[in-house]
Amino acid sequence: MASAIVRSTLRTALRGGARVNPASKRSFSAGASVEEEAREAAKWEKITYAGIAACSILAFVNLSKGHPHFEEPPAYPYMHIRNKEFPWGPDGLFEVKEHH
């Protein structure tokens, strides 16, 4: 299989290389003119900036609202079972408790 690909490539190279037919060349722009492409790019740039502004405003509104604070749950005896002392003290590493 690989030898067939190599032979085909060598045969094409010896014949003068691969000639690309301009009619068979793929066009990625779907025939749109440069002006159309510029207008389309400008449109999507405006849509992007409008989306950024809308998301920023929505985030500001949501974050500026208060949020409910609930009562602390009861200290059930089974919640913080400590069978062995932590090397850094009686509390968890990221727990900050006031000791009286």
Side-chain angles (χ1 to χ4, degrees):
M1 171 88 183
S3 63
I5 294 171
V6 170
R7 273 184 290 184
S8 173
T9 305
L10 286 174
R11 202 175 306 128
T12 304
L14 290 175
R15 285 189 201 148
R19 293 182 189 99
V20 178
N21 182 2
S24 68
K25 192 172 184 181
R26 185 173 175 185
S27 175
F28 290 103
S29 64
S33 68
V34 175
E35 293 84 17
E36 266 184 272
E37 291 175 3
R39 282 195 302 270
E40 191 72 14
K43 176 183 86 171
W44 281 105
E45 185 179 11
K46 290 173 188 169
I47 290 171
T48 300
Y49 288 139
I52 290 170
C55 289
S56 298
I57 291 169
L58 183 64
F60 176 76
V61 168
N62 283 337
L63 293 174
S64 64
K65 289 181 187 176
H67 57 276
H69 291 269
F70 300 104
E71 294 179 16
E72 285 291 321
Y76 295 112
Y78 57 83
M79 294 292 277
H80 289 284
I81 297 174
R82 306 283 191 249
N83 294 331
K84 182 179 173 184
E85 258 323 286
F86 289 126
W88 52 83
D91 297 327
L93 185 58
F94 298 107
E95 293 177 16
V96 179
K97 292 186 180 177
E98 295 180 24
H99 293 283
H100 297 284

